[in-house]
Amino acid sequence: MDASQWGALGEQLRVDSVRASAAAGSGHPTSSMSAADLIAVLIAEHLRFDVDKPDDPNNDHVIFSKGHASPLEYSMLKAMGVLDDAELLTFRKFGSRLQGHPIPNLPMVDVATGSLGQGLPIGVGVALTGQRLDRLPYRVWVLCGDSELAEGSIWEAFEHAAYAGLDNLVAILDINRLGQRGETMHGWNLRNYAGRVEANGWHAIEIDGHDVEAIDRAYAEAEATSGKPTAIIAKTVKGKGVAAVENKNGFHGKPLDDPEAAIAELGGERDLHVDVAKPESHGTPHVFETSGAALPTYDLGDKVATRKAYGDALTAVGANHGDVVALDGEVGNSTYAELFSDTHPDRYFEMFIAEQQMIATAVGMQVRGWKPYASTFAAFLARSADFTRMAAISRADLRVSGSHAGVSIGEDGPSQMALEDLAYFRALHSSAVLYPCDGNQTAQLTEAMADRDGITYIRTTRGGTPVIYGPDDRFEIGGSRVVRASDEDEVLLVGAGITLHEALQAADALADDGIRARVVDCYSLKPIDTDGLREAAAAAGDRVVTVEDHWPEGGLGDAVLGAFADADDRPRVVKLAVRDMPGSGKPDELLHAAGIDADAIASAARALVRGGVPV
Amino acid sequence: MDASQWGALGEQLRVDSVRASAAAGSGHPTSSMSAADLIAVLIAEHLRFDVDKPDDPNNDHVIFSKGHASPLEYSMLKAMGVLDDAELLTFRKFGSRLQGHPIPNLPMVDVATGSLGQGLPIGVGVALTGQRLDRLPYRVWVLCGDSELAEGSIWEAFEHAAYAGLDNLVAILDINRLGQRGETMHGWNLRNYAGRVEANGWHAIEIDGHDVEAIDRAYAEAEATSGKPTAIIAKTVKGKGVAAVENKNGFHGKPLDDPEAAIAELGGERDLHVDVAKPESHGTPHVFETSGAALPTYDLGDKVATRKAYGDALTAVGANHGDVVALDGEVGNSTYAELFSDTHPDRYFEMFIAEQQMIATAVGMQVRGWKPYASTFAAFLARSADFTRMAAISRADLRVSGSHAGVSIGEDGPSQMALEDLAYFRALHSSAVLYPCDGNQTAQLTEAMADRDGITYIRTTRGGTPVIYGPDDRFEIGGSRVVRASDEDEVLLVGAGITLHEALQAADALADDGIRARVVDCYSLKPIDTDGLREAAAAAGDRVVTVEDHWPEGGLGDAVLGAFADADDRPRVVKLAVRDMPGSGKPDELLHAAGIDADAIASAARALVRGGVPV
């Protein structure tokens, strides 16, 4: 497209943003209008993207970190020929592909955005993939709003991008001064943003975001910058071009009152088409050669920490799958993800103490088809909860490992004890939640995660637990295992992970009292083995004790109750869980104090069998 | 204490850190040793704290953001006379006050730390309290590690502190170069940190963190700096003073192998006592005068959004309680918290799009006895999940409001729809979880939150819902309400918030079919009204349908199942919830598509009554 048309293209994008929002009766036209010229010049002159081959690995990536500028994104796709005008006007309607905030259901839309401060961190992940995994020269362009620059996650992204020297990444900062309800902290103080970005090691360019020639020069300068990422800090006007809303507060997230007048003021409807340039590169993504490896196995009766088995197994999975990559939040010697780095250093990513950036990077990597496993202490996955929430909306395929779960970690105390992670990961669309109890089971499940779509979470334990399964035992996501059974069982004990071993000890103690207890290892909390649990409960007098190293809400007990909710036979269930705030101490002391050790289980089971409910 | 003893005091703190960790057999001595001189000079010369009156409002605050340096914190308290040596050696033992990471069970320990990147944001909250609420000249000193400076939350804190001009805040950055498993991104590049801090508007001072005179000068310079906060960027040595571990990787979080030799190398045990200077100020905290106001009331049958009723009620609560303050994440015109700001502008805090800093600020304010209500979209509370997790460990009293819950928000799509917030807040120690369905109920519960200890969460709805309760109806945390009942009920419908209205419509439809349905408003998910639910289910044929605008896991349905788990009569429960990823659309379309509208409820109830389980 000739440079003389860039301005008109910007106006078209504004007009179409106004039209789409007017048709929807909602949306964010004014937030779209500020960035329209930035996007016009991008697609007209600098983007490299084969519209006919949206999956070409050489294509550039464009991420709208300010996802509420979806009218602009869809108007852009219309100008590129990806959508037609009729579809543009389905914006926000039930069943339309054009949702209120973007999801990856359209060519060029890689991920869902709309929770602010996530697009840039994910863009860092995509750019890192280009640099270190795909090894292709595609560029990643991320459009950020100024309000979202208050999110700490954005500053994790700035830091990591500079640390990795991502000169294939361009952040376009749309500084329109106005947030949802008023001015941002820094208004049009471009120097404030530039100073912070430069201090993080980026190249910063300050421009007038409505001067198309300045925008073009800035993009060219970004393309010519090597060794560091570039941020283009653009002074823009919210609602640009429509006097009724231009640079005025109070018009965020609303269609314009008089769209016809606004369209006329913007020069009327246009139908400019942009033939986006195709990538010059025709490379193929790098492939890591693999040597193959057997999954680790452990001897019955040995004590093995499941976190260690996870690290061993992840290393083997990496040797069998060249597309598997590992990330860790600077605790790889605790999660044992560092074992992977010893064998596959080029596929290991140290994300330091930045859990949000860790998950965002993983999301960025799976955009390009890589299979990330991200590991940290399970407790610290609460830090990235909004990133896993959005990853589900992105339909991302992620594998997440949380170590050091529960009070059984011991002396470090509650700040390091995950007691809510099962609830968090269960309440996530697309998720599976696994909690193995021994080394061989952990290895099997770690391997099974590789091929599962969606978000798969595995919870591991700090201390060593006895190996109770043989190397040939097979475990599938969604299964459970009857570990102990007789024909005369009177009560069912359901545990997982650390508590499975307590349940087995409790069964021994109960046997001494003449009470036969069936024990089920419910290692897959989601999907849960409804049939298996119902069968086991029926065979054990419809009396059930569940026991978990977790708060009582949202974990194993709730999952088991769900399996019986609408069954014909609904057992009496006593749920043992951590109810008081734990402190420091030895693992055994803490399991006992929390009422989730063998003593507590046996006591609850005895009371159930003998007809009462324990107090 | 004479300046000539500062060095010896630093050595004592190192020795005691080594001793405590050796006695525990775990802990972080090397991370303590790097910061010992910084803390020695602080308590010897600059801190103002009345050890005999730890609750004096004029006292300075000291927050160990690097909570793993707890051996140093306890050694400091010993030197100040707060602990004795015998207690120091109980570190990390079961029942000891001296936990692995600090909790606020000791004088001078305001909050729990140990999840990195939280102490500085909370310190910003305490300093803001000094400046704008208490209006007292106390100072807040925060000790940060360098690894945690990779957390985005730290940069939210730097930005907010400068924006507020908090010259009563000093961040002490212990740049010891080594993280848990290796070098940080920036090693000893002090200029990198200083540049980023300065770009955020702070005064930065780079020093040798083992030069006690330089430390003293830096603190004096911080005290003399007005209008902006100061960061002291101290080059330190991890494991300082013990050759076996000094500046060496691989010794994080471990007691020293030979503590006796280390103690000797550090000059042996000492018993220096520091008489910490008392505050010069004897002020009393500012008190906001209140005029009093009646809670808002709404007329039966009117349509009122519960988010609006929350804002109205919060404003009234503020008029009745001078210690109530409100914070919002730059969406006050959506959460309606901004109504509070119109009436009580001095007690309203705009936290911009920085949910972590919002919760941290609230935690800091309640340290000083203020009663914060923090509001944002419920979906974005996932961003601050680790902060609410830690707030529970801090035994913080917080009130949190999440608006725009569930698919019923409509066109904005899933990124803005909280579908996991009930699970998150239920799985939090000390929490209550409230979900009102009408304006009058919302007002009552908003008021009840003010006096509740712990973390109290209220979920509000975007759209208007009919007022079904009179202004004189009373609602308590932990209650439920039978909204419709007869003597011939065959099924119980349990809803809350938006779904309660769907349940009422379903009951109408069922009545047309000759099926009597009892309806319970389960507005308090935690604590849940176990007795009320059991009674209602028994009176309705032990058939229950739960319905929630939330994922199936961890929300209303799971809470209700928990109420029946060990009951004698365990009803058959069909749980309706959002199972597929929603998109954009009208609220009614989305409630229908999710299978949680009146049609779906009636259909599930019919199937239950007629003997089957709906498919």
Side-chain angles (χ1 to χ4, degrees):
Chain A
M1 174 177 276
D2 189 81
S4 66
Q5 291 187 289
W6 295 344
L9 178 61
E11 296 288 35
Q12 172 177 318
L13 297 178
R14 275 189 272 274
V15 166
D16 283 348
S17 296
V18 169
R19 291 173 64 230
S21 303
S26 67
H28 298 75
T30 59
S31 305
S32 295
M33 293 155 85
S34 61
D37 297 311
L38 294 161
I39 292 300
V41 178
L42 176 66
I43 61 172
E45 188 67 21
H46 293 274
L47 183 67
R48 297 292 174 266
F49 190 90
D50 189 337
V51 171
D52 298 323
K53 294 182 186 165
D55 295 328
D56 186 328
N58 297 287
N59 282 338
D60 282 359
H61 294 263
V62 179
I63 297 174
F64 275 58
S65 193
K66 54 178 294 186
H68 57 292
S70 53
L72 175 61
E73 183 156 27
Y74 303 141
S75 299
M76 171 190 81
L77 292 173
K78 179 195 140 185
M80 291 168 59
V82 173
L83 313 175
D84 62 20
D85 196 65
E87 186 168 10
L88 180 71
L89 299 181
T90 67
F91 178 49
R92 288 175 164 250
K93 296 212 162 58
F94 186 75
S96 169
R97 293 194 296 177
L98 309 194
Q99 303 213 348
H101 293 76
I103 64 165
N105 61 349
L106 289 164
M108 240 179 88
V109 182
D110 290 323
V111 290
T113 52
S115 180
L116 292 173
Q118 299 210 12
L120 186 62
I122 293 169
V124 169
V126 178
L128 201 58
T129 304
Q131 180 202 60
R132 286 185 51 188
L133 296 173
D134 284 336
R135 304 183 186 178
L136 289 173
Y138 54 75
R139 202 171 296 278
V140 182
W141 308 84
V142 181
L143 177 68
C144 295
D146 48 356
S147 286
E148 69 175 320
L149 302 179
E151 288 285 9
S153 56
I154 288 281
W155 298 94
E156 294 181 14
F158 278 123
E159 183 172 23
H160 281 258
Y163 180 71
L166 298 178
D167 51 18
N168 55 349
L169 176 65
V170 184
I172 306 164
L173 311 187
D174 175 22
I175 311 295
N176 67 21
R177 189 183 73 81
L178 292 171
Q180 168 171 329
R181 64 99 224 45
E183 190 163 34
T184 63
M185 276 184 270
H186 309 293
W188 271 327
N189 184 351
L190 267 61
R191 186 80 307 259
N192 175 289
Y193 294 107
R196 287 188 287 154
V197 164
E198 287 166 353
N200 271 283
W202 285 51
H203 179 51
I205 308 172
E206 297 173 50
I207 60 167
D208 172 350
H210 300 300
D211 177 342
V212 292
E213 290 175 15
I215 297 169
D216 176 52
R217 284 193 303 273
Y219 289 158
E221 189 174 322
E223 287 158 348
T225 299
S226 68
K228 55 167 67 172
T230 297
I232 293 163
I233 300 159
K235 180 178 176 180
T236 62
V237 177
K238 195 163 179 172
K240 170 74 177 175
V242 175
V245 297
E246 193 175 81
N247 194 29
K248 286 185 180 161
N249 201 18
F251 295 98
H252 181 93
K254 295 175 183 169
L256 302 196
D257 287 337
D258 189 346
E260 291 309 318
I263 291 163
E265 192 176 350
L266 293 164
E269 291 185 33
R270 291 177 180 81
D271 196 16
L272 297 170
H273 175 76
V274 180
D275 274 319
V276 174
K278 293 183 174 21
E280 286 154 31
S281 157
H282 297 89
T284 53
H286 178 75
V287 172
F288 289 91
E289 303 213 346
T290 51
S291 52
L295 273 187
T297 58
Y298 306 95
D299 292 335
L300 281 170
D302 280 3
K303 276 206 165 187
V304 176
T306 54
R307 60 179 171 137
K308 172 69 164 51
Y310 166 76
D312 290 338
L314 180 58
T315 306
V317 170
N320 294 324
H321 301 265
D323 53 358
V324 161
V325 298
L327 307 90
D328 197 277
E330 224 269 311
V331 289
N333 52 347
S334 288
T335 62
Y336 281 104
E338 71 170 7
L339 297 175
F340 184 96
S341 77
D342 296 339
T343 313
H344 317 292
D346 293 344
R347 288 186 273 151
Y348 185 78
F349 295 84
E350 176 57 75
M351 302 312 296
F352 299 94
I353 310 282
E355 296 80 8
Q356 297 182 99
Q357 185 60 55
M358 178 177 75
I359 296 297
T361 301
V363 171
M365 289 172 166
Q366 64 83 45
V367 162
R368 287 284 315 121
W370 298 86
K371 294 183 170 175
Y373 283 70
S375 311
T376 186
F377 279 39
F380 304 144
L381 291 167
R383 192 63 72 98
S384 48
D386 197 40
F387 284 74
T388 42
R389 180 181 77 86
M390 288 297 297
I393 302 175
S394 289
R395 280 67 172 172
D397 300 327
L398 295 186
R399 295 133 208 97
V400 182
S401 166
S403 69
H404 293 70
V407 303
S408 75
I409 69 164
E411 288 79 359
D412 269 332
S415 64
Q416 323 288 302
M417 293 170 176
L419 290 163
E420 59 291 307
D421 57 316
L422 299 174
Y424 281 30
F425 279 95
R426 281 181 69 236
L428 199 57
H429 190 254
S430 86
S431 70
V433 178
L434 309 173
Y435 185 18
C437 72
D438 94 337
N440 289 319
Q441 187 182 45
T442 303
Q444 297 260 332
L445 294 174
T446 301
E447 184 180 50
M449 293 169 80
D451 291 321
R452 184 178 178 276
D453 291 341
I455 300 172
T456 309
Y457 175 62
I458 188 167
R459 182 190 224 214
T460 67
T461 299
R462 176 170 182 258
T465 47
V467 175
I468 62 168
Y469 297 117
D472 297 326
D473 278 321
R474 290 287 165 264
F475 299 94
E476 291 175 0
I477 296 171
S480 69
R481 184 63 50 100
V482 178
V483 185
R484 173 189 293 229
S486 77
D487 291 339
E488 297 162 16
D489 291 332
E490 298 175 88
V491 62
L492 172 65
L493 312 180
V494 182
I498 189 86
T499 63
L500 192 270
H501 301 281
E502 299 295 326
L504 284 169
Q505 284 182 47
D508 288 340
L510 290 165
D512 291 344
D513 292 352
I515 296 174
R516 298 284 184 97
R518 183 163 295 221
V519 179
V520 162
D521 176 5
C522 190
Y523 63 84
S524 177
L525 277 78
K526 183 184 173 188
I528 196 161
D529 182 7
T530 298
D531 292 343
L533 285 165
R534 290 183 179 188
E535 195 176 314
D542 277 329
R543 298 181 197 94
V544 177
V545 177
T546 66
V547 54
E548 61 197 304
D549 196 356
H550 188 272
W551 299 127
E553 298 88 5
L556 176 67
D558 279 5
V560 169
L561 284 172
F564 294 115
D566 60 3
D568 290 336
D569 298 311
R570 297 176 295 279
R572 190 189 294 268
V573 178
V574 173
K575 196 163 81 171
L576 303 181
V578 181
R579 291 176 191 275
D580 295 323
M581 182 60 75
S584 292
K586 294 188 182 127
D588 288 348
E589 290 171 331
L590 297 178
L591 290 168
H592 183 73
I596 57 169
D597 67 346
D599 286 352
I601 299 167
S603 168
R606 260 182 227 111
L608 255 185
V609 171
R610 290 174 182 160
V613 173
V615 286
Chain B
M1 175 178 276
D2 190 82
S4 65
Q5 290 187 289
W6 295 344
L9 178 60
E11 295 289 34
Q12 173 177 315
L13 296 178
R14 276 189 272 275
V15 167
D16 283 348
S17 296
V18 169
R19 292 173 63 232
S21 304
S26 67
H28 298 76
T30 59
S31 305
S32 297
M33 294 156 84
S34 61
D37 297 311
L38 294 162
I39 292 298
V41 178
L42 176 65
I43 62 172
E45 189 67 20
H46 294 273
L47 183 67
R48 297 292 176 267
F49 189 92
D50 189 337
V51 171
D52 298 323
K53 295 182 187 166
D55 296 326
D56 186 327
N58 296 287
N59 281 339
D60 282 359
H61 294 263
V62 179
I63 297 173
F64 275 58
S65 194
K66 53 178 293 189
H68 57 290
S70 53
L72 175 60
E73 182 157 27
Y74 304 140
S75 299
M76 170 189 82
L77 292 174
K78 178 194 141 184
M80 291 168 58
V82 173
L83 313 174
D84 63 21
D85 196 65
E87 186 168 9
L88 180 71
L89 300 181
T90 66
F91 179 47
R92 288 175 164 251
K93 296 213 163 55
F94 186 76
S96 169
R97 293 195 294 176
L98 310 193
Q99 302 213 348
H101 293 75
I103 64 166
N105 62 349
L106 289 165
M108 242 179 86
V109 181
D110 290 321
V111 290
T113 53
S115 181
L116 291 174
Q118 299 211 13
L120 186 61
I122 293 169
V124 169
V126 178
L128 200 59
T129 304
Q131 180 204 61
R132 286 186 49 189
L133 296 173
D134 285 336
R135 304 182 185 178
L136 289 173
Y138 55 75
R139 203 171 293 280
V140 181
W141 308 85
V142 181
L143 178 67
C144 295
D146 48 357
S147 286
E148 69 175 322
L149 302 180
E151 288 285 9
S153 56
I154 288 282
W155 298 94
E156 294 182 14
F158 277 123
E159 183 173 22
H160 281 259
Y163 181 71
L166 298 177
D167 52 18
N168 55 348
L169 176 66
V170 183
I172 305 165
L173 311 187
D174 176 23
I175 311 295
N176 68 21
R177 187 182 74 82
L178 292 171
Q180 169 171 329
R181 65 97 221 49
E183 190 163 33
T184 63
M185 277 183 269
H186 310 292
W188 271 328
N189 183 351
L190 268 61
R191 187 81 303 261
N192 175 289
Y193 294 107
R196 288 188 288 154
V197 164
E198 287 164 354
N200 271 283
W202 286 52
H203 179 52
I205 308 170
E206 297 172 50
I207 60 167
D208 172 351
H210 300 300
D211 176 343
V212 291
E213 289 175 15
I215 297 168
D216 176 51
R217 284 193 303 273
Y219 290 156
E221 190 175 320
E223 288 158 349
T225 299
S226 69
K228 55 168 68 173
T230 296
I232 293 163
I233 300 159
K235 179 178 177 179
T236 62
V237 177
K238 196 162 179 173
K240 170 73 177 175
V242 175
V245 297
E246 193 174 82
N247 194 28
K248 286 185 181 162
N249 201 17
F251 295 99
H252 181 93
K254 295 174 183 170
L256 303 195
D257 286 338
D258 189 345
E260 291 309 318
I263 292 163
E265 192 176 349
L266 292 164
E269 291 185 31
R270 292 176 179 82
D271 196 17
L272 296 171
H273 173 77
V274 180
D275 274 320
V276 174
K278 292 181 175 23
E280 286 153 31
S281 156
H282 296 89
T284 53
H286 178 74
V287 174
F288 289 91
E289 302 214 346
T290 51
S291 53
L295 272 188
T297 58
Y298 305 94
D299 292 336
L300 281 170
D302 281 2
K303 276 205 164 186
V304 176
T306 55
R307 60 179 171 136
K308 172 67 164 50
Y310 166 75
D312 290 338
L314 180 57
T315 306
V317 171
N320 294 325
H321 301 265
D323 53 358
V324 161
V325 299
L327 307 90
D328 197 276
E330 224 269 311
V331 290
N333 51 347
S334 288
T335 62
Y336 282 104
E338 71 169 8
L339 297 175
F340 184 97
S341 77
D342 294 341
T343 314
H344 317 293
D346 293 346
R347 288 186 271 150
Y348 186 78
F349 295 83
E350 177 57 75
M351 302 313 295
F352 299 94
I353 310 283
E355 296 81 7
Q356 298 181 99
Q357 184 59 55
M358 178 176 75
I359 297 296
T361 301
V363 171
M365 289 173 167
Q366 64 84 44
V367 162
R368 288 283 315 122
W370 297 86
K371 293 183 170 175
Y373 283 68
S375 312
T376 187
F377 280 38
F380 305 143
L381 291 167
R383 192 66 70 98
S384 49
D386 198 41
F387 284 75
T388 42
R389 180 181 78 88
M390 288 297 297
I393 302 175
S394 288
R395 280 68 172 173
D397 300 328
L398 295 185
R399 294 135 210 96
V400 182
S401 167
S403 68
H404 293 69
V407 303
S408 75
I409 68 163
E411 288 79 1
D412 268 332
S415 64
Q416 323 289 302
M417 294 170 175
L419 290 164
E420 58 292 305
D421 56 316
L422 299 174
Y424 281 31
F425 279 94
R426 281 181 68 236
L428 199 57
H429 190 254
S430 87
S431 69
V433 178
L434 309 173
Y435 185 19
C437 71
D438 94 337
N440 289 318
Q441 187 181 47
T442 303
Q444 297 259 332
L445 294 174
T446 301
E447 183 179 51
M449 294 169 79
D451 290 323
R452 185 177 179 274
D453 290 342
I455 299 172
T456 309
Y457 175 61
I458 187 166
R459 182 190 225 215
T460 67
T461 298
R462 176 170 181 259
T465 47
V467 174
I468 61 168
Y469 298 117
D472 297 326
D473 279 323
R474 289 288 165 264
F475 299 94
E476 290 175 3
I477 295 172
S480 69
R481 183 63 50 98
V482 178
V483 184
R484 173 187 294 227
S486 76
D487 290 341
E488 296 161 18
D489 291 333
E490 297 175 88
V491 61
L492 171 65
L493 312 180
V494 182
I498 189 85
T499 62
L500 191 270
H501 301 283
E502 300 295 328
L504 285 169
Q505 284 182 46
D508 288 340
L510 290 165
D512 292 343
D513 292 353
I515 297 174
R516 298 286 185 95
R518 183 164 294 222
V519 179
V520 162
D521 176 5
C522 190
Y523 63 83
S524 177
L525 277 78
K526 183 185 174 187
I528 196 161
D529 182 8
T530 299
D531 291 344
L533 286 165
R534 289 184 179 186
E535 196 176 312
D542 277 329
R543 298 181 197 93
V544 178
V545 178
T546 66
V547 53
E548 61 196 304
D549 196 357
H550 189 273
W551 298 127
E553 298 88 5
L556 176 67
D558 278 5
V560 169
L561 284 171
F564 294 114
D566 61 3
D568 290 336
D569 297 311
R570 296 175 295 280
R572 190 190 295 268
V573 178
V574 173
K575 196 164 80 171
L576 303 182
V578 181
R579 293 177 190 273
D580 295 323
M581 181 62 74
S584 292
K586 295 190 181 121
D588 287 349
E589 290 171 331
L590 297 177
L591 290 167
H592 183 72
I596 57 170
D597 66 349
D599 286 351
I601 299 166
S603 166
R606 262 183 226 111
L608 255 184
V609 171
R610 291 173 184 163
V613 173
V615 287

